[in-house]
């Protein structure tokens, strides 16, 4: 039985906690991915949306008073309200201007000169009479948007709080399951060492056995907690991002699909080289533990024969080798 199947069998003992943690992780990631859509709505519909169509109307909800007349955005009219003269508000540079007539299109390069806004698109220029808005007037036109922006911000904050609870839950359950798996694994390994023949330990330093039971199992705990969590959340993030891209811009999303095979190839190559390095690193750690254990047990002999300096040099050489292996990795 290979290592993957053994780890899978150990995980099955606590599958309910792991599944619950992954479900919570899915919910938290989904909530986080919803945030950019709320930010998009704030920007497009309320901050930049002020450049939408406005119509003259009677005094009432969402209406703005400007130079003796009331105006309301097209989106805020109900079916019974009548729309009067259309007007527009456009931004040129850092300033905003009021155009007392409706315009067919606001797209293009904008400039303002001598009381007129010039909009140039496809080598065609249109001009419209415009009046620069003061700060107070601009705030007045933004006043219907502020409550809606605050509402969306609170919704965004609520999503983050909602996601944080599920993030805490998945972290708690995943760590709890991993700790229980490692507890069982260490018990199994220790019981297995008691069944091994005595000759098995003749040429095997005790430090290596200790490293197998403590350090290596701790690395497996990180596999369940960190690697599994990151792998699952990354998969959800990528899926969610591509779904959002297809909603916003299908062409761009299709072009970005080329990244998926690149990521798959990178994972295969990385796993191939990382596996060999990890084996070497774990082996070096076992050697270091074995030497420490033997040195401590034989310290009286080392001091009696004045071998402290030699032992120190051997340890430094082994430690430097381990450092060089991790640095090159």
């Amino acid at each position: 039985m290979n290592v993957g199947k053994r780890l899978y069998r150990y995980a099955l003992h606590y599958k309910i906690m792991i599944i619950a943690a992954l479900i919570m992780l899915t919910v938290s990631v989904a909530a986080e991915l919803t945030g950019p859509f709320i930010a998009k709505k704030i920007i497009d519909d309320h901050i930049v949306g002020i450049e939408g169509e406005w119509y003259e109307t009677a005094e009432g909800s969402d209406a703005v008073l400007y130079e003796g007349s009331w105006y309301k955005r097209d989106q805020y009219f109900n079916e019974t309200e009548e729309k009067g003269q259309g007007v527009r508000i456009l931004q040129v540079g850092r300033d905003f201007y009021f155009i007392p007539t409706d315009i067919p299109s606001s797209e293009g390069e904008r400039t303002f000169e001598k009381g007129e806004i010039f909009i140039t698109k496809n080598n065609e220029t249109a001009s419209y009479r415009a009046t620069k808005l003061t700060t107070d007037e601009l705030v007045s036109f933004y006043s219907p948007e502020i409550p809606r922006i605050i509402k969306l911000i609170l919704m965004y904050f609520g999503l983050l709080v909602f996601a944080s609870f599920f993030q805490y839950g998945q972290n708690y359950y995943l760590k709890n399951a991993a700790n229980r798996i490692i507890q069982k694994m260490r018990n199994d390994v220790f019981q297995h060492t008691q069944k091994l023949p005595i000759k098995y330990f003749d040429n095997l330093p005790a430090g290596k056995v200790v490293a197998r039971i403590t350090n290596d199992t701790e690395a497996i705990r990180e596999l369940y907690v960190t690697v599994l969590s990151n792998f699952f959340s990354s998969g959800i993030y990528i899926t969610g991002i591509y779904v959002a891209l297809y909603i916003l811009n299908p062409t761009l999303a299709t072009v970005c699909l080329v990244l998926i095979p690149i990521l798959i190839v990178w994972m295969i190559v990385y796993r191939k080289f990382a596996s060999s390095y990890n084996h070497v690193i774990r082996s070096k750690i076992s050697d270091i533990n074995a030497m420490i254990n033997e040195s401590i047990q034989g310290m009286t002999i080392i001091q009696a024969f004045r071998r402290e300096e030699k032992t120190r040099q051997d340890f430094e050489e082994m430690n430097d080798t381990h450092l060089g292996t991790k640095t090159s990795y």
Side-chain angles (χ1 to χ4, degrees), residues 60-71:
S61 176
D62 296 323
V64 177
L65 179 63
Y66 176 71
E67 293 186 349
S69 299
W70 292 89
Y71 300 95

Side-chain angles (χ1 to χ4, degrees), residues 80-100:
T80 61
E81 289 181 305
E82 295 184 0
K83 298 179 180 179
Q85 173 64 40
V87 299
R88 296 295 292 271
I89 297 173
L90 296 183
Q91 182 180 8
V92 180
R94 296 184 177 180
D95 299 321
F96 287 82
Y97 297 86
F98 179 86
I99 301 177

Side-chain angles (χ1 to χ4, degrees), residues 170-298:
Q170 72 85 19
N171 191 40
Y172 172 80
Y173 282 112
L174 205 56
K175 284 187 175 180
N176 194 6
N179 288 330
R180 291 177 181 273
I181 290 172
I182 298 308
Q183 180 189 33
K184 179 174 176 55
M185 187 178 296
R186 282 174 176 166
N187 287 334
D188 292 344
V189 173
F190 185 76
Q191 291 176 11
H192 180 70
T193 57
Q194 293 180 315
K195 297 177 183 179
L196 294 173
I198 297 177
K199 63 179 181 180
Y200 177 83
F201 299 95
D202 289 342
N203 298 319
L204 182 67
K208 286 195 173 186
V209 179
V210 174
R212 291 290 184 268
I213 299 176
T214 57
N215 295 348
D216 290 355
T217 53
E218 186 66 20
I220 294 175
R221 188 186 74 85
E222 290 299 319
L223 168 68
Y224 285 110
V225 175
T226 305
V227 178
L228 181 61
S229 176
N230 289 339
F231 179 80
F232 199 79
S233 62
S234 298
I236 299 173
Y237 270 117
I238 292 176
T239 303
I241 289 171
Y242 273 103
V243 170
L245 277 177
Y246 270 106
I247 294 174
L248 300 175
N249 192 329
T251 304
L252 177 61
T254 303
V255 173
C256 291
L257 285 175
V258 72
L259 296 175
I260 293 181
I262 295 176
L263 289 174
I264 294 174
V265 172
W266 171 254
M267 289 172 59
I268 294 174
V269 174
Y270 178 82
R271 182 177 179 275
K272 178 180 178 181
F273 287 97
S275 178
S276 59
Y277 271 106
N278 285 329
H279 281 299
V280 174
I281 291 172
R282 304 310 304 176
S283 177
K284 296 298 180 183
I285 292 177
S286 297
D287 293 339
I288 291 174
N289 287 334
M291 184 174 183
I292 292 174
N293 182 75
E294 291 179 348
S295 298
I296 293 175
Q297 287 184 345

